[in-house]
Amino acid sequence: MLLRTLGGLELERSDFGRLKPLLLLTYLLVEGPSERRHLAELFWPDNADALNSLSVALTRLRKGVPGAVEADEVRAWARLDNDLDALKAALEARDYAGAIALYRGPFLEGLYLPDWSAELEEWVYTQREHVAGQVRQAYLVLAEQEAARSRFDQAAKLAAQAYQLQAAPALEPEDLLRLYPLLLAGNSFLLGEVRREAEGLGLRLEQRPEDARVQLRRVLVGRERELEVLRSLRPGQWAWVRGGSGIGKSALLRACSGQY
């Protein structure tokens, strides 16, 4: 079985479709082992016997999704293949194209429970925004890699997808400063919209297309050795990137790893 949380909430190869137990399963998969009392208050805030409601939901999960959920008198925890873990693994492995392919839509898209707590609702929306923000960064890294190879049309398409990504957090000034050259170099139809948004944040974007292309190409020119070293780093390894202001240190890091 596979729990899909991106673009909705469903359990593949199963006819189990109770939303609250599936949301409980999702919460445990994301947050790890959790105290039963906390779960009861989170999922049944107005229920006088919330702990019993939790027990019922856990029993339903054990029957409907065998082996996915375990619990003792104090805590509950879960283990099940799911698309969110696969997305996180792809991002950690710097497989940005793979991560984008896994992202079928916002986390728990369309999910609403009339009796959930404000805290649980906020958790869903926070997770949704966080995941979309990570996917946006993946789009931007791929766009910058394409632009560094002078594939400006493809870079602009990827940048446009990053800009229009549903459920992503509001764009920060530094995001707009990354987006604009990518869109400009590929003559995107979104240029005017991005420029107006930037002006609303007090940014003036007056770069010329040819200057944007030179800037974006410069990331990889003469940097093949540095890129090879940085891309070979394993999780937990570090490398120092030194140099004067304006030589492209940040752009080099974004092009190779997407870490900021």
Side-chain angles (χ1 to χ4, degrees):
M1 283 184 236
L2 175 71
L3 183 67
R4 290 203 175 273
T5 66
L6 302 172
L9 178 59
E10 65 172 325
L11 190 62
E12 284 194 348
R13 300 187 295 277
S14 172
D15 58 1
F16 185 82
R18 290 180 175 270
L19 283 182
K20 184 168 280 191
L22 285 179
L23 178 57
L24 174 62
L25 174 59
T26 302
Y27 185 88
L28 291 172
L29 289 169
V30 174
E31 296 297 324
S34 302
E35 291 188 2
R36 295 177 73 121
R37 184 167 298 278
H38 169 69
L39 294 170
E41 294 172 352
L42 195 64
F43 281 80
W44 293 272
D46 301 319
N47 192 324
D49 197 4
L51 283 170
N52 182 63
S53 295
L54 172 63
S55 296
V56 171
L58 290 172
T59 298
R60 286 172 173 165
L61 281 171
R62 289 192 190 98
K63 292 180 178 178
V65 196
V69 175
E70 296 183 42
D72 56 25
E73 294 182 355
V74 178
R75 302 186 306 164
W77 58 95
R79 181 181 302 169
L80 185 68
D81 290 340
N82 62 89
D83 56 355
L84 184 58
D85 280 348
L87 173 66
K88 291 177 179 177
L91 290 170
E92 185 175 348
R94 301 167 189 168
D95 177 12
Y96 302 113
I100 288 170
L102 286 165
Y103 189 72
R104 305 197 309 174
F107 177 70
L108 301 181
E109 183 177 22
L111 181 70
Y112 174 76
L113 298 176
D115 59 342
W116 61 5
S117 66
E119 184 182 351
L120 181 57
E121 183 179 11
E122 182 179 358
W123 178 83
V124 169
Y125 286 110
T126 298
Q127 290 293 324
R128 184 176 296 164
E129 189 173 88
H130 176 69
V131 173
Q134 290 184 308
V135 174
R136 172 189 279 163
Q137 295 302 318
Y139 271 112
L140 286 174
V141 171
L142 290 177
E144 288 168 337
Q145 290 175 351
E146 290 295 303
R149 295 174 174 84
S150 299
R151 296 193 271 242
F152 299 117
D153 287 345
Q154 181 61 21
K157 290 177 182 177
L158 289 165
Q161 288 174 288
Y163 179 68
Q164 297 177 314
L165 191 65
Q166 187 180 357
L171 286 159
E172 299 292 337
E174 55 267 29
D175 295 318
L176 290 168
L177 290 173
R178 286 180 67 192
L179 270 166
Y180 189 71
L182 292 162
L183 297 172
L184 182 62
N187 296 313
S188 172
F189 69 96
L190 290 172
L191 280 171
E193 184 177 337
V194 172
R195 191 181 294 114
R196 287 189 294 274
E197 186 168 348
E199 289 172 352
L201 294 174
L203 298 175
R204 293 183 62 84
L205 302 176
E206 298 178 341
Q207 197 174 24
R208 298 181 303 170
E210 54 268 31
D211 294 334
R213 295 182 188 115
V214 170
Q215 169 194 327
L216 292 165
R217 273 196 300 256
R218 190 179 297 148
V219 175
L220 292 184
V221 175
R223 301 290 180 84
E224 290 80 6
R225 174 56 183 162
E226 289 90 338
L227 284 168
E228 181 182 352
V229 170
L230 289 170
R231 286 172 175 161
S232 69
L233 294 175
R234 296 188 299 274
Q237 290 186 309
W238 290 80
W240 289 101
V241 179
R242 299 179 179 178
S245 176
I247 68 168
K249 298 187 298 297
S250 297
L252 176 66
L253 291 171
R254 288 196 297 265
C256 73
S257 70
Q259 303 300 311
Y260 305 96

